[in-house]
Amino acid sequence: MSPAFVSAHVEPSRLARSVATAVGDGGRFAGLVATAHDDGSTDLRALVATPSELATIETVLEPGVRGYPALTPLVASAGWYEREIHDLFGIEPIGHPRLDPLILPLNADDQRPRPGNREGPTHLEPDAAALSSHLGGEGVFTIPYGPVRSGVFESVEYLVETSGEEIPHLRTRVYHKHRGLDRRFGDFQVADAVLLAERVEGTASVAHATAFCQAIEALGGVDPPRNALLVRLVHAELERVAVHLDSIIRHTEGAGQAVAYARMSLHKEGVLRLRARLCGHRFGRGVVVPGGVAGPLALSPAEATVEVTRIDRAIAEDGHALMATPSFLDRLRGTGILPRQLAFEHGALGPVGRGSGLAADVRIERSYGAYQFLGLEAAAGFAEGDALARQRVRIEEISQALHLVRQALEELRRSGSATWSHNVPPPDGAAWSSVEAPQGELVYLVEAESGRLVRVKPRSASFHNLALFAQAFRGDIFTDFVFIEASFGLSIAGVAG
Amino acid sequence: MAWVLRGLRDGVVTSRYPRRPDGYGDGYRAALSVVEGADAAAVDGHLGEKAALASLCPTGAIEVGGRLSVDRGRCILCGRCVEARPDLFAFDPAPEVATLTRRALLVPREHDDALELVRSELAQRVRVLRRSIHIRHVDAGSDGSEEWEVAALTNPVYDVQRLGIFFTASPRHADVLLVTGVGTAGMAEPLRRTFEAMPEPKVVLAAGTDATSGGLVYPTYASGAGIGSIVPVDVWVPGSPPSPFSLLHGILVGLGLLSEAGSET
Ligand code: SF4
């Protein structure tokens, strides 16, 4: 059941060119992950996605090798990945155009965390002096915003650099929230590591737990029981609905649509309460376990279906009214345009990509879990690339998600089986896994040695998409900000790690 | 026009909490408790058995010393212990979990002479905060779910505005500092600055198990054991994340309007 993972090994000097070739042949660059080893060597793995598979191109940097020819000059979307790897491993991508610290600004001589390596530093103080100052140039001044935000938001710092004449430039700093999760995974047994996966991006706990467990199951050669896949789908799709509603709520708040704000908030609360009734937790934590799920839904499929139908109708009615409110539409139309070409070149994920005409969706392209037997059609695309298109995608996906939930509940109702999980042997080896999280493709790399987790690396869609965020700003940075931020729907926790 | 009518749909949806108990809030797994009477049985066990009990917990919240106790400040409500030993551990649905001392998060609670003093000092301090209350939220390294639960306080169900509670963008107008997250190295300074910019008197809430102890994330090279070493905490609200009801209770405890968890004992 696990999708094919094709891998090729190359010399470090050939990594960049090989990846560029794979991307040129129609692949989509999907990430770059490093793993340090106790002997001082470091593995680098680039991920290239095609509609049918996830391929890796790997290289090994021998002990003492501190650099390799950068990917970024050939594959621009590798830019942030190489910055992250430089922060965590101290390895230099030679020729990188702008190697500013991203998640961990450190002094040049500081020890680096080097996840994968057994030994690591116990405390590292971020050093703001390691950050480059503004872009430079005559008369450029910087307006900082954050990391403490004005409102109930995750901490993130935005720097608006403006010279008064040209279009202001936006820079994003996420390091304040960096928790050092990559190293923390190595402290846990598999069963407890799932709990940490749930906390990487706390609003997408089910997606993270599922991606992590799928990798463990692939290593153990175990397919979870069909029932378990259906329960995972129910929770994953309700999670998607909640995350999409959150984005819509933030749009309505920014646009001063007080009643719509109240109504959509009410629906979101309804979804969280339904999730709590199904499993005892408003965010679905504890549901997904290696080999399956912890148990059946706490509501009968019939009771759950009634609730889902009620919520679906309520959201659809209010969503319909909202999308017929001219003052709201005017505010979003033409705001924060992400051109299709740019989205395509970068491989924009999730609703951000789908609002710019891309179709990538793991549930369809590399179908997994219960999506394989429920069947899912690609939702209608919206190609305008503005905040309105992203909003339309989300409204469409909410109704599609609730439809899937009802289908899964119907399958569960008819199922005679009472098996909810299978035993999974202790993991050994390396595996990738991916799911379509609410924000888009979520990838996990899991590497283990006879049961010990050597390296667990989540690659959130938010990490991949955040690099595009600054590019959606044209002219009026301040009035559009709230809508562009809401329509990107990024999880800072998931970016900062 | 359409929206005016839509606003009236579903009638009254707002919780009456805290004036009336709220049925939903009571159905939620808000905290973990040691089953009454289980204490002695477990403590009488062999050393090996005690170690096995403690090792059930991924965050080290279970302590088996002279007695069996659970540190709610470390508990992430994963349910491992309840599943393995339902005779000893149980979920507690009551959302009123906030306490005035870190020590009071240890259940079953032991009598603490210092508590009376803490309580009256806080009551003294917040006496002048009566009419409307303004809250400043700071994320000091959360997983993002705490922000959802804090933001939910303004939705029509919890609607804290009805209680005269508002969120503010400016620390200079804030009475309450509500902090989420483990207290990362990178957020320590911004958090401290926000605290210092707030006028006296002020009340600090550690919102969630992460903010209380670092939860499952601590220790790493970048995360703290909660925010208590960065700013002085008045109210501890455990939960992973804490539900909106637990947060609301915590805020009202901080304002001296409700009593803290277990205060009757
Ligand atoms: S519920 Fe989980 S975290 Fe809490 S005490 Fe039990 S085992 Fe520990």
Side-chain angles (χ1 to χ4, degrees), chain A residues 149 155 176 269 282 318, chain B residues 6 136 139 149 158 184 220:
Chain A
R149 309 285 307 278
S155 288
H176 306 87
E269 178 68 19
R282 286 161 61 90
D318 284 329
Chain B
R6 289 193 165 266
R136 184 75 181 93
D139 161 23
E149 299 299 53
Y158 303 100
T184 54
T220 74

Side-chain angles (χ1 to χ4, degrees), chain B residues 32 56-59 61-62 70 74-81 91:
Chain B
L32 197 93
L56 284 174
C57 180
T59 61
I62 297 174
V70 167
R74 294 206 59 82
C75 173
I76 56 166
L77 295 157
C78 73
R80 297 259 196 282
C81 58
F91 285 118

